[in-house]
Amino acid sequence: MNEKNKAFSLFAQLAIILTIFLLGEIINRTIIHVIPGSVLGMVLLLTFLQIKILKVEMVDIVGNFLIKNLAFFFIVPGVSLLLLLPLLSQNWWKIALISIISTFIVMLVTGKVLQLFFNTKND
């Protein structure tokens, strides 16, 4: 692939990913207010890939780049946590308790779903 086609391909892939993200945000703001738009966008992308509206090759270069550089997306939330340090230090035990309880709930639900999955698969 020459440089001109590669540059267009990168731009096209980025446009596809951002359009699907925007669609998720639009759905979030108009229909489903409970699920974040970014999560809806990821579900839409997965759905489009599964039902073959999109091919993996249409988003693979930019998708791999974003995954490899995922840590950069956590810089802003990390700095925001530093700004909230006084509030966090006052409520650290509540946060720790909620984190422990929610971890066990997620483990329990995941285990039950896997048991149901394997039981129905064996039948």
Side-chain angles (χ1 to χ4, degrees), residues 24-64:
E25 287 293 328
I26 290 170
I27 292 171
N28 170 265
R29 293 175 192 264
T30 57
I31 302 171
I32 305 171
H33 301 289
V34 179
I35 303 170
S38 56
V39 174
L40 288 172
M42 285 190 291
V43 170
L44 285 173
L45 180 60
L46 176 65
T47 304
F48 293 160
L49 288 169
Q50 288 291 330
I51 62 176
K52 308 284 191 233
I53 291 175
L54 287 176
K55 295 180 181 174
V56 175
E57 298 81 29
M58 297 171 74
V59 292
D60 65 342
I61 296 172
V62 173
N64 286 330

Side-chain angles (χ1 to χ4, degrees), residues 41-97:
M42 285 190 291
V43 170
L44 285 173
L45 180 60
L46 176 65
T47 304
F48 293 160
L49 288 169
Q50 288 291 330
I51 62 176
K52 308 284 191 233
I53 291 175
L54 287 176
K55 295 180 181 174
V56 175
E57 298 81 29
M58 297 171 74
V59 292
D60 65 342
I61 296 172
V62 173
N64 286 330
F65 172 79
L66 291 172
I67 290 171
K68 287 179 184 174
N69 297 294
L70 195 60
F72 289 116
F73 296 108
F74 290 98
I75 292 173
V76 173
V79 171
S80 297
L81 282 175
L82 291 176
L83 294 175
L84 295 172
L85 206 52
L87 181 64
L88 293 173
S89 64
Q90 292 173 355
N91 298 305
W92 68 268
W93 64 274
K94 294 176 186 175
I95 296 169
L97 182 65

Side-chain angles (χ1 to χ4, degrees), residues 5-22:
N5 287 341
K6 185 176 180 182
F8 176 76
S9 176
L10 292 174
F11 179 73
Q13 288 185 25
L14 183 62
I16 290 169
I17 290 174
L18 291 177
T19 301
I20 293 172
F21 171 76
L22 178 63

